[in-house]
Amino acid sequence: MTHNSPKSSPQKQGLARNTANYGDSDFALYLRRSFAKSMGYSQAMLDRPVVGIVDTGSAYNNCHRTVPELVEAVKRGVLAAGGLPMPFPTISLCEPSLFPTSMHYRNLAALDTEAMLTAQPMDAAVLIGGCDKTVPAQLMGAVSADIPAVQLVTGPMLATPFQGERLSACTDCRRYWAAYRAGTVSQERIGEIEGRLATTAGTCGVMGTASTMACIAETLGMIPLGHGSIPAVHADRLRAAEEAGALAVRLIENPVKPSQIITARSVENALRVLLALGGSTNALIHLTAIAGRRGVKVDLRHLNVLSDSTPVLVDLKPTGDGYMEDFHAAGGMPALLWELRDLLHQDTIDVTGVPLGQRLREPPFVDRRYIRHRDEPVSPVGGLVSLFGSLAPRGAILKRSAATPSLFEKESRALVFDGLEDLANRIDDPTLDVSADDILVLKNAGSLTPAGMPEAGYLPIPSKLARAGVKDMVRMSDCRMSGTAFGTIVLHITPEAAAGGPLGLAESGDRIRLSVKDRTLDLLVPAEELERRRDRWSPPTKPARGWDRIIADQVLQADEGCDLAVLRGSSVPS
Ligand code: FES
């Protein structure tokens, strides 16, 4: 065992970084080392460069069940490469475990991640995330902290073979629940299905938000190519973790910072990929927030330009047939990026520092059942469109790849619900005045409300219509939809009702016109009438204290990623 003096280790690296403010940095380092030694580290270990490992394991987070073994594998990689691994906890967010919704806490997780990455001594980091909000939060935090970081995801769960079909969270959850509501699936059967939907560790097994964000992180360059879609229970997942640890050590020698990786060009690549995946609408909000930390603006009108020139190539649920394990086996992101290569900026670098064009030198293996050729796309145009008009002056989103084309051009009567409680109280009322031709509207469910912008945009079909066989209706709101859901559903209407947007003035009986062809969404009510309604409107009362109050004071609208205003970046790099 060696006993070097405190001054013998390199300054500003490893434990010597960010010493606590005692007014004497040598004393602060001496104190830090002496406490670190209480954990049994040798001096040689304490002299190594430090890799922080963000540990989001939690008994509340089924999607992160494998995090303990991933942490061990990352540590192995760090140690073998000559670093000192230092795992530490941050908030863990699991979709079904959080009230009012995980989205309400994404920015808290981002703030936690940023604070711990910058406050604690580390030279690089491995971020272990997976469930929907964790990866966006970690990327937002890493961009703001701007220390070299590698994103590692827990990976998707495997689908479960069950009585002649395969089941996985959570498109099949919704399919069966809709059938149960329609009366075609019994109470006993739905109970049986409940135990078959998620049977392995990992994130939802379809192209929902978690999978979309993993693919986006891989496109941005924060996950090494080919690592994002490895199933959670595959041994390769642990090897990817080991490699992430070793890569983090290499990043200390040859730093590549998130600010070099996340640029306007890599963000545009990520938008292309989001469209080609038929990916989650939530990913658009998250990507906007991540880009916003760098001062890069995601323009919803430009999204339409990209969408018109980007085909959907991935055939997975909720829009197609396959599961994430099929996507991975079919070639995963290397195959998809290869197929899209002429549409992508090829000079964007990833955590290895290598430009995309060089990473895509060889045509990879591809299974065309799940990753289509450009000449035979799932759809010739992208999965998402943004809509603008008098109901959505700053935009709204429709996932056209998961919608019913016969409902794309529609002018109809609105049935408006004032909020989630009103929706729950009335949607299944047998006396509800509703027909399949109506447009269901939910307001007061955006990020400024106590509801916290939940995934409630997938308004249920009123049960009397569901039982009559109605499968889809035009539905719209200022909240979000699960990436695993489907239907003709307009989301993220901006400004939201609680921010004074026109949506807040909509009433049952108004007429609304949706035109996907023209990318418009209009509330067909005379201006004078809207002015009368505005005179009667008042903003919601703000919560008195705590995180809820910080959100109410700071949260931005969907077109700015719902980040906190105070956390956004100010530079506009390219
Ligand atoms: Fe965690 Fe779906 S609930 S990814």
Side-chain angles (χ1 to χ4, degrees):
M1 189 177 294
T2 55
H3 295 274
N4 295 350
S5 72
K7 285 185 178 171
S8 67
S9 75
Q11 292 296 302
K12 308 296 182 194
Q13 192 183 43
L15 288 191
R17 293 171 72 102
N18 305 341
T19 47
N21 271 340
Y22 292 118
D24 178 344
S25 61
D26 288 345
F27 170 73
L29 181 55
Y30 154 76
L31 205 61
R32 177 177 284 172
R33 283 171 173 245
S34 84
F35 280 91
K37 282 177 177 172
S38 77
M39 293 187 278
Y41 290 112
S42 65
Q43 185 66 54
M45 275 293 162
L46 296 181
D47 281 341
R48 288 183 170 205
V50 174
V51 174
I53 303 170
V54 180
D55 177 350
T56 47
S58 160
Y60 284 102
N61 198 337
N62 54 285
C63 304
H64 290 205
R65 194 177 98 195
T66 53
V67 168
E69 62 176 350
L70 289 173
V71 168
E72 288 308 310
V74 175
K75 284 166 70 176
R76 224 163 43 226
V78 173
L79 285 168
L84 173 62
M86 298 287 277
F88 62 95
T90 62
I91 296 167
S92 187
L93 304 177
C94 181
E95 288 304 295
S97 299
L98 290 158
F99 176 84
T101 169
S102 63
M103 186 64 185
H104 192 60
Y105 297 102
R106 183 204 62 183
N107 296 335
L108 187 60
L111 191 54
D112 181 7
T113 306
E114 177 186 343
M116 291 302 100
L117 291 180
T118 50
Q120 299 175 132
M122 67 188 77
D123 304 297
V126 176
L127 317 162
I128 307 181
C131 196
D132 293 14
K133 305 303 177 296
T134 56
V135 170
Q138 291 179 336
L139 293 178
M140 290 160 72
V143 172
S144 293
D146 206 23
I147 67 165
V150 181
Q151 180 76 60
L152 175 69
V153 291
T154 55
M157 64 176 66
L158 296 182
T160 305
F162 181 65
Q163 297 181 353
E165 63 174 332
R166 289 192 296 166
L167 299 177
S168 185
C170 219
T171 304
D172 299 317
C173 320
R174 296 173 195 286
R175 177 166 59 87
Y176 267 98
W177 191 254
Y180 171 62
R181 281 179 54 79
T184 55
V185 160
S186 69
Q187 178 90 45
E188 189 188 3
R189 178 75 172 161
I190 199 78
E192 198 177 15
I193 295 294
E194 185 180 289
R196 300 288 98 197
L197 289 165
T199 60
T200 80
T203 49
C204 287
V206 300
M207 192 52 78
T209 305
S211 301
T212 306
M213 286 311 303
C215 294
I216 280 182
E218 205 170 322
T219 307
L220 286 171
M222 295 296 291
I223 294 179
L225 196 55
H227 286 194
S229 55
I230 303 168
V233 296
H234 199 295
D236 283 348
R237 175 52 63 201
L238 293 172
R239 280 185 278 276
E242 195 180 295
E243 203 175 317
L247 177 54
V249 177
R250 292 201 296 277
L251 281 173
I252 299 169
E253 290 276 299
N254 301 297
V256 181
K257 293 185 173 182
S259 56
Q260 296 167 267
I261 295 172
I262 295 171
T263 64
R265 291 162 80 79
S266 68
V267 168
E268 185 166 301
N269 285 351
L271 285 169
R272 289 270 191 203
V273 163
L274 170 61
L275 294 161
L277 291 171
S280 164
T281 47
N282 291 320
L284 187 59
I285 292 183
H286 300 320
L287 182 59
T288 302
I290 295 162
R293 293 296 181 100
R294 285 277 285 129
V296 174
K297 168 96 180 137
V298 171
D299 180 347
L300 291 179
R301 292 185 192 274
H302 186 54
L303 176 76
N304 281 338
V305 175
L306 297 177
S307 193
D308 286 343
S309 56
T310 309
V312 178
L313 298 179
V314 174
D315 196 3
L316 294 194
K317 290 174 187 258
T319 55
D321 283 331
Y323 293 92
M324 278 305 288
E325 66 211 65
D326 303 318
F327 176 69
H328 185 67
M333 287 305 295
L336 180 63
L337 293 175
W338 176 266
E339 205 59 42
L340 293 170
R341 63 194 183 285
D342 62 300
L343 296 175
L344 302 175
H345 300 292
Q346 307 234 345
D347 56 347
T348 58
I349 58 167
D350 74 346
V351 276
T352 66
V354 179
L356 181 63
Q358 286 182 35
R359 283 177 281 139
L360 295 178
R361 280 249 169 90
E362 300 287 323
F365 166 80
V366 59
D367 180 342
R368 294 291 179 203
R369 284 176 298 173
Y370 302 107
I371 301 171
R372 301 281 188 83
H373 193 275
R374 285 279 285 283
D375 295 340
E376 290 180 290
V378 176
S379 158
V381 289
L384 305 178
V385 288
S386 46
L387 308 164
F388 296 88
S390 58
L391 188 56
R394 284 166 54 185
I397 293 296
L398 173 76
K399 186 173 181 177
R400 62 178 161 185
S401 58
T404 306
S406 60
L407 297 175
F408 282 5
E409 307 301 315
K410 191 165 188 68
E411 183 193 318
S412 207
R413 181 182 74 151
L415 172 57
V416 179
F417 297 93
D418 272 337
L420 291 172
E421 199 178 339
D422 185 33
L423 176 70
N425 288 340
R426 289 199 293 138
I427 191 75
D428 289 335
D429 183 342
T431 66
L432 186 68
D433 178 15
V434 64
S435 80
D437 195 47
D438 288 336
I439 293 175
L440 303 182
V441 179
L442 171 65
K443 59 185 186 181
N444 297 316
S447 53
L448 275 170
T449 67
M453 204 181 190
E455 292 183 338
Y458 179 72
L459 276 72
I461 303 291
S463 63
K464 69 177 185 183
L465 298 180
R467 287 175 188 277
V470 176
K471 295 266 189 300
D472 195 9
M473 295 172 68
V474 177
R475 291 161 271 177
M476 50 187 67
S477 70
D478 49 8
C479 58
R480 298 175 302 116
M481 172 174 88
S482 165
T484 63
F486 44 86
T488 310
I489 298 175
V490 176
L491 301 157
H492 315 168
I493 291 178
T494 307
E496 65 176 281
L503 177 65
L505 308 179
E507 295 181 359
S508 289
D510 290 348
R511 295 196 72 78
I512 290 176
R513 186 190 303 127
L514 163 71
S515 173
V516 177
K517 177 169 57 70
D518 295 336
R519 312 284 192 265
T520 54
L521 184 64
D522 289 301
L523 178 61
L524 306 179
V525 175
E528 317 79 66
E529 171 60 16
L530 287 178
E531 277 315 303
R532 274 193 291 278
R533 293 181 191 178
R534 188 168 292 288
D535 288 343
R536 298 195 300 268
W537 181 86
S538 58
T541 309
K542 289 186 177 184
R545 60 172 297 284
W547 179 248
D548 292 355
R549 177 56 185 245
I550 292 171
I551 286 270
D553 285 340
Q554 284 283 329
V555 79
L556 298 166
Q557 294 289 282
D559 61 343
E560 295 178 302
C562 300
D563 202 354
L564 300 189
V566 76
L567 295 179
R568 298 258 292 180
S570 54
S571 58
V572 189
S574 59

